[in-house]
Amino acid sequence: MADHYYTSQPAAAHDRKTWEALLRGQTFRLVSDAGVFAKGGVDFGSRTLIEAMDIPEGAEVLDVGCGYGPIGLTAAKLAGRGHVWMIDVNSRAVELAKENAAANGVNNVSIVESDLFSALGDRSFDVVLTNPPIRAGKATVHAIFEGAYERLRAGGSLWVVIQKKQGAPSAKEKLESLFSKVEEVTKDKGYRIYKAVKA
């Protein structure tokens, strides 16, 4: 089986694409490549999460599985004087995210290659965002939820986008086992946006 985006060193031949995307009123010029998730444009799930997520001014934010960066870079614009950490296991995605941050003048970000949360040390966050890598399996998705809970500050929130047919009900159940409050913020074309708040 060919490797997919949840791999540290994609073997796919390069096939770079550049386009513009309007996200939360900001125009981003983005480049992506083969071997990363949604290489042809901002996918519907990520776009739905971007439109729903609440990023307070000055927030410390984490984007788990950042890919080439649309979620985290939008969050960085919204956070203003805050800071966004963007992590991904995929080295090609990390390099693209860095390139996209520079091209769009986004300076309040740290973009690092990390297998789940391994590169973050003991940092904590106000907001965690994820469009989780469903193809990596339920254990990985649940590990993202658990790690997010551990790293969120009290009152902090985890925002998740997941398709109903790809496990939204079990994802919600897992979130409810960890967080004091879980709400479905929006749903669109089978995608669910969950906000889970840490007491």
Side-chain angles (χ1 to χ4, degrees), residues 47-63:
R47 194 176 278 277
T48 304
L49 175 58
I50 287 165
E51 293 305 319
M53 64 191 188
D54 180 16
I55 310 295
E57 163 68 33
E60 294 289 315
V61 182
L62 173 63
D63 177 8

Side-chain angles (χ1 to χ4, degrees), residues 81-196:
R81 58 190 167 78
H83 194 86
V84 178
W85 281 78
M86 298 165 60
I87 59 173
D88 203 296
V89 71
N90 183 325
S91 59
R92 188 176 291 182
V94 168
E95 291 310 308
L96 288 163
K98 289 178 180 177
E99 186 178 337
N100 286 326
N104 290 280
V106 181
N107 302 313
N108 56 332
V109 290
S110 299
I111 305 168
V112 292
E113 187 176 338
S114 182
D115 186 3
L116 292 175
F117 303 90
S118 60
L120 292 172
D122 59 359
R123 286 182 179 82
S124 61
F125 302 92
D126 302 304
V127 180
V128 178
L129 309 164
T130 189
N131 182 350
I134 299 301
R135 286 171 59 180
K138 186 183 282 190
T140 297
V141 174
H142 286 186
I144 289 172
F145 297 167
E146 290 162 0
Y149 179 83
E150 289 167 11
R151 284 161 183 78
L152 276 168
R153 298 166 183 164
S157 56
L158 166 65
W159 293 76
V160 179
V161 58
I162 197 160
Q163 268 187 292
K164 185 177 181 184
K165 68 182 182 189
Q166 290 185 328
S170 68
K172 186 165 189 263
E173 199 173 289
K174 178 64 176 179
L175 291 170
E176 287 171 341
S177 75
L178 295 165
F179 291 86
S180 55
K181 180 183 175 191
V182 179
E183 62 175 306
E184 184 180 283
V185 175
T186 189
K187 59 183 175 183
D188 196 354
K189 294 182 183 172
Y191 286 87
R192 304 285 190 269
I193 304 293
Y194 294 127
K195 177 188 179 184

Side-chain angles (χ1 to χ4, degrees), residues 27-88:
T27 299
F28 291 87
R29 185 170 175 79
L30 298 168
V31 60
S32 190
D33 198 352
V36 303
F37 178 65
K39 68 174 186 279
V42 181
D43 61 290
F44 188 81
S46 292
R47 194 176 278 277
T48 304
L49 175 58
I50 287 165
E51 293 305 319
M53 64 191 188
D54 180 16
I55 310 295
E57 163 68 33
E60 294 289 315
V61 182
L62 173 63
D63 177 8
V64 182
C66 66
Y68 60 87
I71 296 170
L73 296 180
T74 306
K77 292 272 193 182
L78 296 171
R81 58 190 167 78
H83 194 86
V84 178
W85 281 78
M86 298 165 60
I87 59 173
D88 203 296

